[in-house]
Amino acid sequence: MFLMWIIPLLLIGLVVYAISGNNLVNAFQPASNRACPQCKQAVQNDWKTCPHCGQTL
Ligand SMILES: [Zn+2]
């Protein structure tokens, strides 16, 4: 029966769409655009503390 095949395919398509959607969101947030929550200065993604105010990131 045709519907027996189309339903799981639709579910797989939704999962793939959700995963790729999250990746697109991450792609629009490059690491260099991260900001300190304390002083709002730009900080690198791999920095553990903010060099401007000492806030732990
Ligand atoms: Zn800071």
Side-chain angles (χ1 to χ4, degrees):
M1 188 174 169
F2 182 68
L3 282 176
M4 296 286 280
W5 290 99
I6 208 73
I7 290 172
L9 282 176
L10 279 174
L11 287 173
I12 293 170
L14 278 174
V15 169
V16 171
Y17 177 78
I19 293 171
S20 62
N22 286 338
N23 288 339
L24 278 175
V25 169
N26 290 336
F28 283 113
Q29 295 176 335
S32 58
N33 273 6
R34 194 171 168 223
C36 170
Q38 179 92 354
C39 65
K40 312 301 182 190
Q41 295 289 324
V43 292
Q44 293 296 319
N45 213 23
D46 55 342
W47 288 354
K48 298 287 183 278
T49 57
C50 175
H52 306 285
C53 67
Q55 169 74 25
T56 303
L57 301 172

